[in-house]
Amino acid sequence: MRNFGKLIPLVCFIFFATITNIYSADVEFFFHPNEFSLGEFAKLEVKAYGDKPFRTLQTNVKRNGVRIRYVGSGTETQIVNFKVSKSQIINFYVDTEQEGNFQLPEITVEYAGKQYSSPPFEFKVSKKTKNPPNSFFKSFPFDLDEPTTEENPEVSFHTNKSVFYKGEPIVGYFVLYYDQYRQPFLERDPNQSISFPFFLSETLRQVTVQIEPEVVRNNVPKKTLVFAKEIYGLTALRSGSFLLGKTKFITGDSLRFNSLQQTIDTKPAKVIVLDLPKNSPLDFSGAIGNFKMYILNSPKQVYVGETAYIEIMIEGEGGFEGISPMVFSNPKIKCINQSKIKNFQQLESGEYGFHSKVKFLYGYQIEKISKENVEPIRFSFFSLAEKKYKTISINFPEFQILPKRKIDNLIPPKKEKLQLELPFFSLVLLAVLGIFGYVALKKYKLNVETNSFVRMVESFGRKRDFFLLEHLENRGVSKSDSIWLTELISDHTDPSHLYKQLSKKDQMKALNIANTLKPKE
């Protein structure tokens, strides 16, 4: 009994460790559908929640009549019931060579150095078709004997917030609700525009939205499908009550032979846009979020009669709408340039949202050597977290003012006449040969660089978008360079012509990426 008592903690530890490994929420396996026809395939989706290294340990498995094929991987930014997270996905196709009941062979993946195996999903494969062997339609994998019932699909526009402030960015997307479709087809009518009255709209890239796969809508169970091609970032320009997303969609069943496509009107989302509180600071121009401000560049000394250039950066969570340059009381200080960037990304809080960077370049004309008093640089915004206005400020940078530069009218020294030993014709000939040699060298260098770029693009095969982005990052290319190269080659089929059209700066960037991808000896 004593020995058994000492073993109890060890047994409990092993038991709970096993349970934790099996039911870990870091990696999940999804298999659908669990019944399909011979000649079709099912999909095994492995999802890891987080940014740690994620890879499959098997690409092709064939066991007990079941074949599993690796078809690629990607990343997703998800908004699941309005909660945002990021995940990585590995996809497999599953099919069989005969009908019957089967059990999915084990597939193993590795996430953050730990291995996870798929559960033994059970599925059924039925006959390819119910048509007679000599039927004209025997080559079509459709079940024409399946009874057709009237489908009443519905497409609605949704937003992640229904009540929000003017100037606050939100996310909007379309959802199809259906009940009879086997594989729904959904496309927006290209002849119809989308109604976003008094809103700025932009299409968000590399963002997907997921909701519950089945819901009860108007007391009727419905399946859901998010229209992932167009996810919108929306910013209200005025307060009030609005209907957003009015347009038309074309839908139907892509797996039913006798199904007709139909055009349906969307049900817009009703939103209420609130005015901000009235006690706003005098310099408030509509910025909403959580921001910080700092000096990027400023001179150490400036001469009288010249201009001092000061760069100021404002960045943080929220859109750049409403972030405006400061108007100084000193008329000699003016904003001469500004740039704005807004991305949908992971924020410091861990959730996903809009992050903006706004850079202002101020010019200060120095007219005298004495220093002038300049007020601090201020910026006011409405904090969503604290539900109040906030003002941040930094002191105007100090620098030394020097007297006006003296320009001496120096008489250039007389150059001695060169005693040319070669005749004039020989000099001209050497110059022409030098020009031709330079042109030939430049052309040869361009051909070498172009061939290097073409070989790099051809090495990608058919990888594009998420798959190419993941491939580049795994090979050591920085995230910014990976995004740049993925977008660069996405719509071009002739890499040689593409490289020659790039600027010198972009050509150097492309060659640096190609050198990074070269196998190290």
Side-chain angles (χ1 to χ4, degrees):
M1 291 297 291
R2 290 179 181 178
N3 293 335
F4 180 76
K6 292 180 180 180
L7 290 175
I8 289 177
L10 178 61
V11 173
C12 292
F13 173 79
I14 295 174
F15 175 77
F16 285 111
T18 304
I19 293 296
T20 303
N21 184 52
I22 294 175
Y23 294 98
S24 173
D26 290 339
V27 175
E28 288 187 314
F29 294 82
F30 302 92
F31 181 79
H32 57 89
N34 58 6
E35 183 174 352
F36 55 95
S37 299
L38 190 64
E40 298 178 357
F41 60 85
K43 186 176 181 181
L44 174 64
E45 185 179 77
V46 190
K47 186 175 294 187
Y49 299 96
D51 296 322
K52 298 176 182 178
F54 184 43
R55 66 188 183 98
T56 179
L57 301 182
Q58 299 152 294
T59 56
N60 288 281
V61 174
K62 188 173 182 181
R63 191 179 306 143
N64 299 329
V66 180
R67 182 175 61 173
I68 304 177
R69 292 171 293 159
Y70 168 76
V71 292
S73 60
T75 60
E76 279 188 347
T77 301
Q78 303 175 349
I79 306 176
V80 183
N81 298 334
F82 307 135
K83 294 182 180 179
V84 190
S85 62
K86 186 175 182 179
S87 61
Q88 304 177 69
I89 298 176
I90 295 177
N91 292 315
F92 298 89
Y93 282 165
V94 180
D95 60 358
T96 66
E97 297 177 351
Q98 59 185 5
E99 59 182 289
N101 295 318
F102 298 90
Q103 187 177 84
L104 185 72
E106 185 177 273
I107 285 290
T108 305
V109 298
E110 184 179 88
Y111 178 64
K114 296 182 180 179
Q115 295 186 6
Y116 301 84
S117 299
S118 61
F121 292 109
E122 295 185 353
F123 61 97
K124 180 180 180 181
V125 178
S126 56
K127 291 183 179 179
K128 187 174 182 180
T129 178
K130 295 182 180 179
N131 296 303
N134 297 324
S135 171
F136 171 79
F137 294 105
K138 66 180 180 180
S139 60
F140 292 88
F142 303 111
D143 190 355
L144 300 186
D145 293 336
E146 181 180 281
T148 58
T149 57
E150 185 178 356
E151 172 75 80
N152 294 314
E154 174 189 348
V155 177
S156 295
F157 188 73
H158 295 283
T159 58
N160 65 321
K161 290 184 178 181
S162 58
V163 180
F164 47 91
Y165 289 101
K166 181 177 68 176
E168 178 185 354
I170 62 171
V171 177
Y173 50 94
F174 292 96
V175 178
L176 168 69
Y177 297 93
Y178 65 100
D179 52 13
Q180 298 296 328
Y181 291 160
R182 295 174 58 187
Q183 182 171 313
F185 168 83
L186 184 64
E187 285 292 341
R188 190 167 63 84
D189 189 341
N191 300 318
Q192 299 291 327
S193 60
I194 308 177
S195 176
F196 296 130
F198 302 105
F199 274 75
L200 289 176
S201 66
E202 58 182 322
T203 304
L204 302 179
R205 304 188 64 181
Q206 297 182 348
V207 176
T208 60
V209 175
Q210 292 186 347
I211 61 176
E212 294 295 336
E214 294 186 9
V215 298
V216 177
R217 190 167 177 84
N218 299 326
N219 297 323
V220 177
K222 293 280 187 177
K223 298 178 182 178
T224 63
L225 174 68
V226 176
F227 185 60
K229 293 183 179 180
E230 296 177 1
I231 311 296
Y232 291 95
L234 304 171
T235 305
L237 301 177
R238 59 178 292 182
S239 59
S241 178
F242 302 98
L243 295 177
L244 304 181
K246 186 177 181 181
T247 186
K248 292 180 181 292
F249 269 82
I250 302 172
T251 185
D253 193 338
S254 59
L255 286 184
R256 184 171 293 159
F257 181 75
N258 58 345
S259 173
L260 298 178
Q261 295 181 359
Q262 54 182 315
T263 301
I264 57 178
D265 294 313
T266 61
K267 292 188 177 181
K270 184 176 181 180
V271 298
I272 298 176
V273 182
L274 305 175
D275 276 318
L276 294 172
K278 296 182 178 180
N279 57 336
S280 61
L282 294 177
D283 57 347
F284 176 72
S285 53
I288 302 176
N290 184 29
F291 300 94
K292 59 183 178 181
M293 179 172 59
Y294 51 90
I295 299 174
L296 278 179
N297 292 300
S298 65
K300 294 182 179 180
Q301 58 184 25
V302 183
Y303 291 90
V304 173
E306 299 181 2
T307 303
Y309 296 100
I310 300 98
E311 281 187 321
I312 304 296
M313 175 68 80
I314 299 176
E315 70 169 307
E317 300 179 6
F320 55 58
E321 297 79 11
I323 302 180
S324 302
M326 176 180 172
V327 178
F328 289 86
S329 59
N330 188 338
K332 302 173 187 176
I333 306 176
K334 295 182 179 179
C335 180
I336 58 178
N337 190 26
Q338 57 181 301
S339 61
K340 299 182 177 182
I341 299 175
K342 180 172 65 175
N343 294 317
F344 189 82
Q345 64 181 53
Q346 187 174 17
L347 305 176
E348 293 182 358
S349 61
E351 296 186 353
Y352 283 76
F354 290 101
H355 185 274
S356 298
K357 289 185 177 181
V358 181
K359 182 170 64 177
F360 296 110
L361 178 62
Y362 293 94
Y364 182 10
Q365 185 67 35
I366 306 299
E367 297 181 352
K368 54 185 178 180
I369 199 167
S370 60
K371 293 185 177 180
E372 297 179 297
N373 292 326
V374 180
E375 67 265 39
I377 304 172
R378 300 184 308 276
F379 169 63
S380 297
F381 61 93
F382 182 77
S383 173
L384 287 174
E386 302 180 28
K387 295 293 187 294
K388 67 177 183 180
Y389 293 101
K390 296 184 67 176
T391 300
I392 54 179
S393 64
I394 52 177
N395 293 327
F396 196 85
E398 296 185 355
F399 45 82
Q400 184 183 9
I401 300 178
L402 302 177
K404 190 173 182 179
R405 294 178 191 261
K406 293 182 180 181
I407 302 177
D408 297 329
N409 295 324
L410 299 176
I411 300 176
K414 294 182 179 180
K415 296 182 179 179
E416 297 182 359
K417 293 183 179 180
L418 298 177
Q419 300 296 327
L420 300 178
E421 297 180 357
L422 295 175
F424 178 77
F425 177 78
S426 299
L427 292 176
V428 173
L429 181 61
L430 287 175
V432 172
L433 291 176
I435 293 173
F436 276 106
Y438 176 78
V439 172
L441 182 62
K442 293 287 288 184
K443 187 174 181 180
Y444 173 78
K445 182 181 179 183
L446 178 61
N447 288 335
V448 172
E449 294 175 351
T450 302
N451 291 336
S452 178
F453 180 80
V454 171
R455 286 194 298 270
M456 176 184 67
V457 175
E458 290 176 348
S459 70
F460 299 154
R462 296 186 178 181
K463 296 186 183 73
R464 290 297 183 270
D465 300 328
F466 294 120
F467 308 123
L468 177 57
L469 184 63
E470 182 187 56
H471 172 75
L472 292 173
E473 291 183 5
N474 290 338
R475 295 288 300 277
V477 181
S478 65
K479 185 172 184 179
S480 59
D481 287 348
S482 298
I483 295 175
W484 175 81
L485 182 60
T486 301
E487 294 178 349
L488 179 66
I489 68 175
S490 60
D491 298 324
H492 294 81
T493 57
D494 187 356
S496 175
H497 178 72
L498 172 62
Y499 180 82
K500 294 176 182 178
Q501 299 300 315
L502 296 177
S503 64
K504 292 293 183 183
K505 182 179 179 181
D506 289 341
Q507 287 180 350
M508 290 298 298
K509 183 188 290 188
L511 291 177
N512 289 335
I513 297 175
N515 291 332
T516 303
L517 296 177
K518 282 184 179 179
K520 298 180 180 180
E521 298 180 354

